[in-house]
Amino acid sequence: MTTDLAGPPHLQVRLFAGLREQAGWGERHLALHEPATPDAHNGAPPPTAAQLWQRLGLGPWPAGVRVAVNREFAEPGRILAAGDEVAYLPPITGG
Amino acid sequence: MADPSSPLRESSTTLSIALEAWPFDPFAVLRPWSTGSAAAAEAHFIGRVRGWSAAGEPLAALELEHYPGMTEAQLERLAAAAAARHAVRAVLVRHRVGRVQPGEAIVLVAVAADRRGPAQRCCQELLEALKHDAPFWKKEVGVAGQGRWVDGNTPLEEPAPPGQGTQTIRTA
Protein backbone atom coordinates (compact mmCIF):
# COMPACT_ATOMS: atom_id res chain seq x y z
CA MET A 1 0.00 0.00 0.00
CA THR A 2 1.22 3.49 -0.78
CA THR A 3 0.71 6.66 1.21
CA ASP A 4 0.06 9.01 -1.68
CA LEU A 5 -3.34 10.43 -2.63
CA ALA A 6 -4.20 7.33 -4.60
CA GLY A 7 -3.62 5.18 -1.52
CA PRO A 8 -5.60 5.31 1.72
CA PRO A 9 -8.74 7.44 2.02
CA HIS A 10 -7.99 11.09 2.51
CA LEU A 11 -9.53 14.29 3.84
CA GLN A 12 -9.01 17.84 2.66
CA VAL A 13 -8.48 20.23 5.57
CA ARG A 14 -8.87 24.00 5.23
CA LEU A 15 -8.14 26.88 7.59
CA PHE A 16 -9.19 30.51 7.19
CA ALA A 17 -8.26 34.00 8.39
CA GLY A 18 -6.48 34.06 11.76
CA LEU A 19 -6.38 30.25 12.03
CA ARG A 20 -4.64 30.04 8.65
CA GLU A 21 -2.08 32.67 9.59
CA GLN A 22 -1.37 31.07 12.97
CA ALA A 23 -0.92 27.63 11.42
CA GLY A 24 1.11 28.88 8.48
CA TRP A 25 -0.95 26.86 6.02
CA GLY A 26 -4.45 27.03 4.57
CA GLU A 27 -5.01 23.69 2.92
CA ARG A 28 -3.76 20.15 3.47
CA HIS A 29 -4.56 16.62 2.51
CA LEU A 30 -4.49 14.15 5.38
CA ALA A 31 -5.15 10.45 5.66
CA LEU A 32 -8.59 9.68 7.11
CA HIS A 33 -6.92 7.57 9.79
CA GLU A 34 -3.75 8.47 11.62
CA PRO A 35 -0.98 6.95 9.48
CA ALA A 36 1.00 5.88 12.55
CA THR A 37 -1.86 3.79 13.89
CA PRO A 38 -3.39 0.59 12.56
CA ASP A 39 -6.89 2.14 12.66
CA ALA A 40 -7.25 1.93 8.94
CA HIS A 41 -6.79 -1.83 9.14
CA ASN A 42 -8.63 -2.77 12.32
CA GLY A 43 -12.02 -1.27 11.59
CA ALA A 44 -11.72 1.67 14.01
CA PRO A 45 -14.25 4.41 13.33
CA PRO A 46 -13.09 7.44 11.37
CA PRO A 47 -12.39 10.62 13.37
CA THR A 48 -14.78 13.42 14.17
CA ALA A 49 -13.93 16.97 13.12
CA ALA A 50 -12.90 17.74 16.72
CA GLN A 51 -10.63 14.67 16.84
CA LEU A 52 -9.08 15.67 13.53
CA TRP A 53 -8.29 19.10 15.01
CA GLN A 54 -6.22 17.39 17.72
CA ARG A 55 -4.22 15.63 15.01
CA LEU A 56 -3.35 18.96 13.41
CA GLY A 57 -1.21 19.92 16.40
CA LEU A 58 -2.55 23.47 16.52
CA GLY A 59 -3.32 23.52 20.24
CA PRO A 60 -6.62 23.28 22.09
CA TRP A 61 -9.93 23.92 20.35
CA PRO A 62 -10.05 27.72 19.82
CA ALA A 63 -12.98 29.62 21.28
CA GLY A 64 -15.70 30.39 18.80
CA VAL A 65 -14.40 28.21 15.98
CA ARG A 66 -17.04 26.52 13.82
CA VAL A 67 -16.74 23.54 11.52
CA ALA A 68 -17.87 23.16 7.93
CA VAL A 69 -17.92 19.80 6.18
CA ASN A 70 -18.25 19.90 2.41
CA ARG A 71 -19.01 23.62 2.62
CA GLU A 72 -21.93 23.35 5.04
CA PHE A 73 -21.85 24.01 8.77
CA ALA A 74 -21.47 20.88 10.87
CA GLU A 75 -21.06 20.00 14.53
CA PRO A 76 -17.52 19.37 15.82
CA GLY A 77 -18.70 15.86 16.63
CA ARG A 78 -19.49 15.13 12.99
CA ILE A 79 -17.93 11.82 11.93
CA LEU A 80 -15.82 12.36 8.85
CA ALA A 81 -15.79 10.26 5.72
CA ALA A 82 -13.22 9.73 3.01
CA GLY A 83 -13.15 12.61 0.57
CA ASP A 84 -14.68 15.14 2.99
CA GLU A 85 -13.53 18.75 2.88
CA VAL A 86 -13.27 19.86 6.51
CA ALA A 87 -12.89 23.55 7.29
CA TYR A 88 -12.25 25.24 10.62
CA LEU A 89 -13.80 28.70 10.64
CA PRO A 90 -12.88 31.47 13.09
CA PRO A 91 -15.69 33.74 14.34
CA ILE A 92 -17.39 35.27 11.32
CA THR A 93 -17.23 39.04 10.80
CA GLY A 94 -19.13 39.77 7.61
CA GLY A 95 -21.45 42.54 6.53
CA MET B 1 -51.99 23.07 -0.63
CA ALA B 2 -51.88 26.82 -0.22
CA ASP B 3 -54.90 28.93 -0.97
CA PRO B 4 -54.29 30.08 -4.58
CA SER B 5 -55.76 33.46 -3.74
CA SER B 6 -53.24 33.97 -0.94
CA PRO B 7 -50.61 36.63 -1.59
CA LEU B 8 -48.04 34.40 0.11
CA ARG B 9 -45.45 32.89 -2.18
CA GLU B 10 -42.96 30.36 -0.93
CA SER B 11 -41.08 29.30 -4.01
CA SER B 12 -41.36 32.18 -6.47
CA THR B 13 -38.89 34.54 -4.81
CA THR B 14 -36.22 35.84 -7.15
CA LEU B 15 -32.77 35.74 -5.59
CA SER B 16 -29.83 37.76 -6.91
CA ILE B 17 -26.66 36.98 -4.96
CA ALA B 18 -23.12 37.97 -5.89
CA LEU B 19 -19.71 38.68 -4.46
CA GLU B 20 -17.94 41.79 -5.72
CA ALA B 21 -14.16 41.65 -6.00
CA TRP B 22 -13.93 45.36 -6.91
CA PRO B 23 -15.60 48.58 -5.75
CA PHE B 24 -19.22 48.70 -6.82
CA ASP B 25 -21.88 51.40 -6.92
CA PRO B 26 -24.88 50.12 -4.97
CA PHE B 27 -27.22 52.52 -6.76
CA ALA B 28 -26.10 51.22 -10.15
CA VAL B 29 -26.91 47.70 -8.90
CA LEU B 30 -30.28 48.76 -7.50
CA ARG B 31 -31.50 50.70 -10.52
CA PRO B 32 -32.06 47.80 -12.93
CA TRP B 33 -33.18 45.54 -10.09
CA SER B 34 -35.82 48.00 -8.96
CA THR B 35 -36.91 49.42 -12.32
CA GLY B 36 -40.14 47.85 -13.46
CA SER B 37 -40.60 45.92 -10.22
CA ALA B 38 -44.21 45.07 -9.48
CA ALA B 39 -43.53 45.13 -5.74
CA ALA B 40 -45.16 47.92 -3.76
CA ALA B 41 -42.43 48.02 -1.11
CA GLU B 42 -38.67 47.88 -1.18
CA ALA B 43 -36.18 47.99 1.67
CA HIS B 44 -32.51 48.73 0.91
CA PHE B 45 -29.49 48.58 3.17
CA ILE B 46 -26.04 49.83 2.18
CA GLY B 47 -23.15 49.24 4.56
CA ARG B 48 -19.91 51.17 4.09
CA VAL B 49 -16.48 50.73 5.62
CA ARG B 50 -15.79 53.06 8.51
CA GLY B 51 -12.68 55.20 8.58
CA TRP B 52 -11.57 53.88 11.95
CA SER B 53 -10.86 50.53 13.51
CA ALA B 54 -12.75 48.80 16.31
CA ALA B 55 -10.12 50.27 18.64
CA GLY B 56 -10.84 53.77 17.32
CA GLU B 57 -7.67 54.17 15.27
CA PRO B 58 -7.51 55.44 11.66
CA LEU B 59 -8.12 52.66 9.17
CA ALA B 60 -6.41 52.40 5.78
CA ALA B 61 -8.54 49.51 4.53
CA LEU B 62 -10.41 46.33 5.38
CA GLU B 63 -9.35 43.05 3.80
CA LEU B 64 -12.26 40.68 3.35
CA GLU B 65 -11.46 36.99 3.25
CA HIS B 66 -14.13 34.45 2.34
CA TYR B 67 -14.53 30.73 1.72
CA PRO B 68 -15.01 30.40 -2.05
CA GLY B 69 -17.88 28.07 -2.78
CA MET B 70 -19.27 28.00 0.75
CA THR B 71 -19.77 31.75 1.10
CA GLU B 72 -21.89 31.99 -2.04
CA ALA B 73 -23.85 28.85 -1.14
CA GLN B 74 -24.44 30.06 2.39
CA LEU B 75 -25.65 33.48 1.16
CA GLU B 76 -28.12 31.67 -1.09
CA ARG B 77 -29.36 29.51 1.79
CA LEU B 78 -29.75 32.48 4.14
CA ALA B 79 -31.51 34.60 1.51
CA ALA B 80 -33.87 31.80 0.52
CA ALA B 81 -34.73 31.07 4.16
CA ALA B 82 -35.39 34.74 5.01
CA ALA B 83 -37.40 35.21 1.81
CA ALA B 84 -39.56 32.19 2.60
CA ARG B 85 -40.14 33.30 6.22
CA HIS B 86 -41.37 36.72 5.13
CA ALA B 87 -42.97 35.69 1.82
CA VAL B 88 -41.22 38.44 -0.15
CA ARG B 89 -40.96 38.79 -3.91
CA ALA B 90 -37.26 39.36 -4.46
CA VAL B 91 -33.97 39.52 -2.57
CA LEU B 92 -30.69 41.01 -3.73
CA VAL B 93 -27.35 40.68 -1.93
CA ARG B 94 -23.97 42.08 -2.95
CA HIS B 95 -20.93 41.67 -0.69
CA ARG B 96 -17.39 42.82 -1.26
CA VAL B 97 -14.37 40.58 -0.93
CA GLY B 98 -10.73 41.61 -1.09
CA ARG B 99 -9.39 45.02 -0.08
CA VAL B 100 -12.08 47.60 0.68
CA GLN B 101 -11.32 51.27 1.37
CA PRO B 102 -13.09 53.43 3.94
CA GLY B 103 -16.25 54.89 2.49
CA GLU B 104 -16.67 52.12 -0.07
CA ALA B 105 -19.77 49.96 0.00
CA ILE B 106 -19.08 46.58 1.58
CA VAL B 107 -22.60 45.14 1.62
CA LEU B 108 -25.91 45.78 -0.13
CA VAL B 109 -29.13 44.01 0.83
CA ALA B 110 -32.40 44.81 -0.92
CA VAL B 111 -35.81 43.20 -0.52
CA ALA B 112 -38.96 43.70 -2.57
CA ALA B 113 -42.33 42.75 -1.11
CA ASP B 114 -45.99 43.65 -1.18
CA ARG B 115 -45.84 45.47 2.18
CA ARG B 116 -43.24 47.54 4.01
CA GLY B 117 -43.32 45.28 7.08
CA PRO B 118 -42.09 42.10 5.38
CA ALA B 119 -39.64 44.10 3.23
CA GLN B 120 -38.03 45.83 6.21
CA ARG B 121 -38.06 42.82 8.52
CA CYS B 122 -36.62 40.52 5.86
CA CYS B 123 -33.90 43.05 5.01
CA GLN B 124 -32.79 43.46 8.63
CA GLU B 125 -33.03 39.75 9.40
CA LEU B 126 -31.00 38.78 6.36
CA LEU B 127 -28.36 41.41 7.10
CA GLU B 128 -27.93 40.10 10.64
CA ALA B 129 -27.89 36.50 9.38
CA LEU B 130 -25.15 37.14 6.85
CA LYS B 131 -23.06 39.03 9.39
CA HIS B 132 -23.03 35.96 11.63
CA ASP B 133 -23.53 32.96 9.36
CA ALA B 134 -21.91 33.70 5.99
CA PRO B 135 -18.17 32.97 6.09
CA PHE B 136 -16.47 36.34 5.77
CA TRP B 137 -13.56 37.55 7.86
CA LYS B 138 -12.45 41.17 8.19
CA LYS B 139 -8.87 42.20 8.71
CA GLU B 140 -8.31 45.82 9.68
CA VAL B 141 -5.29 47.38 8.00
CA GLY B 142 -3.95 50.41 9.83
CA VAL B 143 -2.33 53.43 8.25
CA ALA B 144 1.12 52.00 9.10
CA GLY B 145 0.21 48.80 7.25
CA GLN B 146 -0.31 46.65 10.33
CA GLY B 147 -3.10 44.05 10.08
CA ARG B 148 -5.46 42.79 12.76
CA TRP B 149 -8.29 40.27 12.38
CA VAL B 150 -11.57 41.63 13.70
CA ASP B 151 -12.79 39.31 16.45
CA GLY B 152 -16.50 40.11 16.41
CA ASN B 153 -19.26 42.06 14.73
CA THR B 154 -20.20 45.57 15.77
CA PRO B 155 -23.40 45.70 17.79
CA LEU B 156 -26.67 46.42 16.01
CA GLU B 157 -27.00 49.74 17.77
CA GLU B 158 -24.56 52.22 19.22
CA PRO B 159 -24.55 52.06 23.03
CA ALA B 160 -26.32 55.08 24.51
CA PRO B 161 -23.99 57.40 26.40
CA PRO B 162 -24.63 57.35 30.16
CA GLY B 163 -27.64 59.41 31.12
CA GLN B 164 -28.81 59.88 27.56
CA GLY B 165 -32.04 58.37 26.37
CA THR B 166 -31.64 58.71 22.62
CA GLN B 167 -29.10 57.07 20.38
CA THR B 168 -27.86 57.22 16.84
CA ILE B 169 -27.89 54.12 14.70
CA ARG B 170 -24.93 53.82 12.39
CA THR B 171 -24.68 51.64 9.33
CA ALA B 172 -22.81 48.35 8.99
Side-chain angles (χ1 to χ4, degrees), chain B:
Chain B
M1 189 73 179
D3 175 0
S5 65
S6 166
L8 296 180
R9 286 166 301 278
E10 292 191 350
S11 59
S12 60
T13 304
T14 303
L15 302 181
S16 172
I17 313 285
L19 300 179
E20 303 277 356
W22 306 102
F24 72 101
D25 176 359
F27 298 102
V29 175
L30 284 172
R31 188 180 304 278
W33 180 81
S34 181
T35 301
S37 168
E42 287 182 13
H44 308 152
F45 177 87
I46 298 167
R48 297 184 188 277
V49 173
R50 293 182 181 83
W52 59 91
S53 71
E57 293 162 350
L59 192 73
L62 277 183
E63 289 180 357
L64 262 289
E65 180 168 330
H66 73 294
Y67 184 171
M70 180 174 175
T71 301
E72 298 91 327
Q74 187 65 8
L75 286 175
E76 291 263 358
R77 284 191 282 264
L78 295 172
R85 269 194 299 278
H86 296 283
V88 301
R89 286 177 178 260
V91 175
L92 177 145
V93 178
R94 296 290 183 273
H95 202 297
R96 276 295 309 277
V97 295
R99 192 177 176 94
V100 191
Q101 309 287 338
E104 289 180 354
I106 184 171
V107 63
L108 168 64
V109 177
V111 176
D114 291 331
R115 302 279 178 179
R116 65 188 183 282
Q120 291 178 323
R121 286 192 293 271
C122 183
C123 187
Q124 177 164 10
E125 184 180 300
L126 178 54
L127 180 71
E128 293 304 309
L130 74 84
K131 287 176 84 75
H132 295 95
D133 292 323
F136 292 101
W137 298 277
K138 288 178 182 144
K139 179 188 257 187
E140 295 174 339
V141 181
V143 291
Q146 75 281 16
R148 178 190 163 278
W149 291 104
V150 177
D151 54 17
N153 279 307
T154 51
L156 181 60
E157 296 177 11
E158 188 126 30
Q164 204 165 313
T166 58
Q167 53 191 343
T168 303
I169 300 174
R170 294 183 188 277
T171 59

Side-chain angles (χ1 to χ4, degrees), chain A residues 24-66:
Chain A
W25 55 270
E27 193 167 348
R28 263 188 189 172
H29 290 272
L30 291 181
L32 182 61
H33 292 98
E34 189 104 48
T37 70
D39 286 356
H41 309 293
N42 67 9
T48 64
Q51 289 167 338
L52 181 68
W53 176 264
Q54 300 304 319
R55 276 175 54 192
L56 299 178
L58 299 176
W61 185 262
V65 163
R66 295 162 79 179

